[in-house]
PDB file of all heavy atoms in Angstrom:
ATOM      1  N   LEU B 300      68.155  16.190   1.025  1.00 98.00           N
ATOM      2  CA  LEU B 300      68.937  16.927   2.056  1.00 98.00           C
ATOM      3  C   LEU B 300      69.977  17.815   1.446  1.00 98.00           C
ATOM      4  O   LEU B 300      70.480  18.690   2.061  1.00 98.00           O
ATOM      5  CB  LEU B 300      69.482  15.886   3.099  1.00 98.00           C
ATOM      6  CG  LEU B 300      68.427  15.229   4.024  1.00 98.00           C
ATOM      7  CD1 LEU B 300      69.114  13.953   4.651  1.00 98.00           C
ATOM      8  CD2 LEU B 300      68.079  16.220   5.151  1.00 98.00           C
ATOM      9  N   ARG B 301      70.325  17.437   0.221  1.00 98.00           N
ATOM     10  CA  ARG B 301      71.382  18.261  -0.562  1.00 98.00           C
ATOM     11  C   ARG B 301      70.994  19.723  -0.543  1.00 98.00           C
ATOM     12  O   ARG B 301      71.894  20.563  -0.547  1.00 98.00           O
ATOM     13  CB  ARG B 301      71.557  17.670  -1.880  1.00 98.00           C
ATOM     14  CG  ARG B 301      70.355  17.818  -2.823  1.00 98.00           C
ATOM     15  CD  ARG B 301      70.336  16.814  -3.935  1.00 98.00           C
ATOM     16  NE  ARG B 301      71.476  16.778  -4.813  1.00 98.00           N
ATOM     17  CZ  ARG B 301      71.608  17.492  -5.992  1.00 98.00           C
ATOM     18  NH1 ARG B 301      70.654  18.249  -6.330  1.00 98.00           N
ATOM     19  NH2 ARG B 301      72.708  17.324  -6.707  1.00 98.00           N
ATOM     20  N   PHE B 302      69.686  19.970  -0.762  1.00 98.00           N
ATOM     21  CA  PHE B 302      69.193  21.372  -0.937  1.00 98.00           C
ATOM     22  C   PHE B 302      69.501  22.168   0.283  1.00 98.00           C
ATOM     23  O   PHE B 302      69.906  23.373   0.275  1.00 98.00           O
ATOM     24  CB  PHE B 302      67.855  21.422  -1.412  1.00 98.00           C
ATOM     25  CG  PHE B 302      67.531  20.570  -2.555  1.00 98.00           C
ATOM     26  CD1 PHE B 302      66.687  19.400  -2.431  1.00 98.00           C
ATOM     27  CD2 PHE B 302      68.055  20.842  -3.848  1.00 98.00           C
ATOM     28  CE1 PHE B 302      66.428  18.569  -3.600  1.00 98.00           C
ATOM     29  CE2 PHE B 302      67.847  20.029  -4.959  1.00 98.00           C
ATOM     30  CZ  PHE B 302      67.080  18.902  -4.821  1.00 98.00           C
ATOM     31  N   GLU B 303      69.177  21.485   1.400  1.00 98.00           N
ATOM     32  CA  GLU B 303      69.411  22.123   2.721  1.00 98.00           C
ATOM     33  C   GLU B 303      70.947  22.457   2.932  1.00 98.00           C
ATOM     34  O   GLU B 303      71.260  23.611   3.305  1.00 98.00           O
ATOM     35  CB  GLU B 303      68.981  21.245   3.871  1.00 98.00           C
ATOM     36  CG  GLU B 303      69.102  21.677   5.277  1.00 98.00           C
ATOM     37  CD  GLU B 303      68.494  20.710   6.268  1.00 98.00           C
ATOM     38  OE1 GLU B 303      69.056  19.588   6.359  1.00 98.00           O
ATOM     39  OE2 GLU B 303      67.528  21.078   6.842  1.00 98.00           O
ATOM     40  N   ALA B 304      71.841  21.515   2.592  1.00 98.00           N
ATOM     41  CA  ALA B 304      73.159  21.738   2.719  1.00 98.00           C
ATOM     42  C   ALA B 304      73.651  22.946   1.928  1.00 98.00           C
ATOM     43  O   ALA B 304      74.412  23.756   2.369  1.00 98.00           O
ATOM     44  CB  ALA B 304      73.986  20.504   2.361  1.00 98.00           C
ATOM     45  N   ASP B 305      73.190  22.997   0.716  1.00 98.00           N
ATOM     46  CA  ASP B 305      73.563  24.159  -0.204  1.00 98.00           C
ATOM     47  C   ASP B 305      73.035  25.460   0.410  1.00 98.00           C
ATOM     48  O   ASP B 305      73.779  26.486   0.258  1.00 98.00           O
ATOM     49  CB  ASP B 305      73.079  23.904  -1.544  1.00 98.00           C
ATOM     50  CG  ASP B 305      74.124  23.259  -2.458  1.00 98.00           C
ATOM     51  OD1 ASP B 305      75.301  23.143  -1.992  1.00 98.00           O
ATOM     52  OD2 ASP B 305      73.876  22.931  -3.574  1.00 98.00           O
ATOM     53  N   GLU B 306      71.845  25.467   0.923  1.00 98.00           N
ATOM     54  CA  GLU B 306      71.196  26.720   1.499  1.00 98.00           C
ATOM     55  C   GLU B 306      71.980  27.206   2.666  1.00 98.00           C
ATOM     56  O   GLU B 306      72.348  28.406   2.824  1.00 98.00           O
ATOM     57  CB  GLU B 306      69.741  26.477   1.812  1.00 98.00           C
ATOM     58  CG  GLU B 306      69.093  27.692   2.472  1.00 98.00           C
ATOM     59  CD  GLU B 306      68.983  28.907   1.572  1.00 98.00           C
ATOM     60  OE1 GLU B 306      69.051  28.694   0.362  1.00 98.00           O
ATOM     61  OE2 GLU B 306      68.547  29.931   2.089  1.00 98.00           O
ATOM     62  N   VAL B 307      72.447  26.255   3.517  1.00 98.00           N
ATOM     63  CA  VAL B 307      73.284  26.579   4.658  1.00 98.00           C
ATOM     64  C   VAL B 307      74.615  27.262   4.226  1.00 98.00           C
ATOM     65  O   VAL B 307      75.034  28.211   4.755  1.00 98.00           O
ATOM     66  CB  VAL B 307      73.455  25.293   5.531  1.00 98.00           C
ATOM     67  CG1 VAL B 307      74.520  25.568   6.638  1.00 98.00           C
ATOM     68  CG2 VAL B 307      72.155  24.980   6.193  1.00 98.00           C
ATOM     69  N   LYS B 308      75.132  26.662   3.247  1.00 98.00           N
ATOM     70  CA  LYS B 308      76.438  27.177   2.760  1.00 98.00           C
ATOM     71  C   LYS B 308      76.236  28.589   2.230  1.00 98.00           C
ATOM     72  O   LYS B 308      77.007  29.509   2.516  1.00 98.00           O
ATOM     73  CB  LYS B 308      76.998  26.238   1.589  1.00 98.00           C
ATOM     74  CG  LYS B 308      78.342  26.926   1.038  1.00 98.00           C
ATOM     75  CD  LYS B 308      78.961  26.012  -0.013  1.00 98.00           C
ATOM     76  CE  LYS B 308      80.212  26.831  -0.445  1.00 98.00           C
ATOM     77  NZ  LYS B 308      80.852  26.112  -1.637  1.00 98.00           N
ATOM     78  N   ARG B 309      75.145  28.806   1.435  1.00 98.00           N
ATOM     79  CA  ARG B 309      74.795  30.141   0.837  1.00 98.00           C
ATOM     80  C   ARG B 309      74.694  31.200   1.964  1.00 98.00           C
ATOM     81  O   ARG B 309      75.281  32.253   1.908  1.00 98.00           O
ATOM     82  CB  ARG B 309      73.537  29.945   0.012  1.00 98.00           C
ATOM     83  CG  ARG B 309      73.240  31.249  -0.783  1.00 98.00           C
ATOM     84  CD  ARG B 309      71.849  31.146  -1.538  1.00 98.00           C
ATOM     85  NE  ARG B 309      70.778  31.234  -0.477  1.00 98.00           N
ATOM     86  CZ  ARG B 309      70.309  32.411  -0.022  1.00 98.00           C
ATOM     87  NH1 ARG B 309      70.794  33.556  -0.432  1.00 98.00           N
ATOM     88  NH2 ARG B 309      69.362  32.433   0.925  1.00 98.00           N
ATOM     89  N   CYS B 310      73.929  30.807   3.044  1.00 98.00           N
ATOM     90  CA  CYS B 310      73.596  31.726   4.115  1.00 98.00           C
ATOM     91  C   CYS B 310      74.939  32.092   4.805  1.00 98.00           C
ATOM     92  O   CYS B 310      75.234  33.235   5.021  1.00 98.00           O
ATOM     93  CB  CYS B 310      72.690  31.134   5.068  1.00 98.00           C
ATOM     94  SG  CYS B 310      71.017  30.956   4.423  1.00 98.00           S
ATOM     95  N   ILE B 311      75.739  31.089   5.093  1.00 98.00           N
ATOM     96  CA  ILE B 311      76.937  31.318   5.844  1.00 98.00           C
ATOM     97  C   ILE B 311      77.971  32.107   5.059  1.00 98.00           C
ATOM     98  O   ILE B 311      78.625  33.120   5.586  1.00 98.00           O
ATOM     99  CB  ILE B 311      77.562  30.018   6.383  1.00 98.00           C
ATOM    100  CG1 ILE B 311      76.765  29.339   7.427  1.00 98.00           C
ATOM    101  CG2 ILE B 311      79.116  30.197   6.949  1.00 98.00           C
ATOM    102  CD1 ILE B 311      77.096  28.069   8.010  1.00 98.00           C
ATOM    103  N   ARG B 312      78.174  31.804   3.824  1.00 98.00           N
ATOM    104  CA  ARG B 312      79.040  32.625   2.897  1.00 98.00           C
ATOM    105  C   ARG B 312      78.592  33.981   2.743  1.00 98.00           C
ATOM    106  O   ARG B 312      79.432  34.960   2.498  1.00 98.00           O
ATOM    107  CB  ARG B 312      79.201  31.852   1.503  1.00 98.00           C
ATOM    108  CG  ARG B 312      80.006  30.566   1.651  1.00 98.00           C
ATOM    109  CD  ARG B 312      81.560  30.859   2.040  1.00 98.00           C
ATOM    110  NE  ARG B 312      82.210  29.590   2.256  1.00 98.00           N
ATOM    111  CZ  ARG B 312      82.561  29.123   3.466  1.00 98.00           C
ATOM    112  NH1 ARG B 312      82.310  29.796   4.598  1.00 98.00           N
ATOM    113  NH2 ARG B 312      83.198  27.972   3.641  1.00 98.00           N
ATOM    114  N   GLN B 313      77.313  34.232   2.902  1.00 98.00           N
ATOM    115  CA  GLN B 313      76.776  35.653   2.712  1.00 98.00           C
ATOM    116  C   GLN B 313      76.780  36.289   4.159  1.00 98.00           C
ATOM    117  O   GLN B 313      76.309  37.477   4.281  1.00 98.00           O
ATOM    118  CB  GLN B 313      75.338  35.617   2.200  1.00 98.00           C
ATOM    119  CG  GLN B 313      75.324  35.158   0.740  1.00 98.00           C
ATOM    120  CD  GLN B 313      73.960  35.334   0.205  1.00 98.00           C
ATOM    121  OE1 GLN B 313      73.002  35.919   0.865  1.00 98.00           O
ATOM    122  NE2 GLN B 313      73.805  35.062  -1.110  1.00 98.00           N
ATOM    123  N   GLY B 314      77.350  35.599   5.178  1.00 98.00           N
ATOM    124  CA  GLY B 314      77.392  36.186   6.461  1.00 98.00           C
ATOM    125  C   GLY B 314      76.040  36.287   7.194  1.00 98.00           C
ATOM    126  O   GLY B 314      75.854  37.019   8.162  1.00 98.00           O
TER     127      GLY B 314
END
Side-chain angles (χ1 to χ4, degrees):
Chain B
L300 288 161
R301 67 205 301 269
F302 308 114
E303 178 177 65
D305 265 353
E306 175 69 10
V307 168
K308 179 179 178 184
R309 190 187 71 81
C310 291
I311 290 175
R312 287 293 173 257
Q313 291 187 3

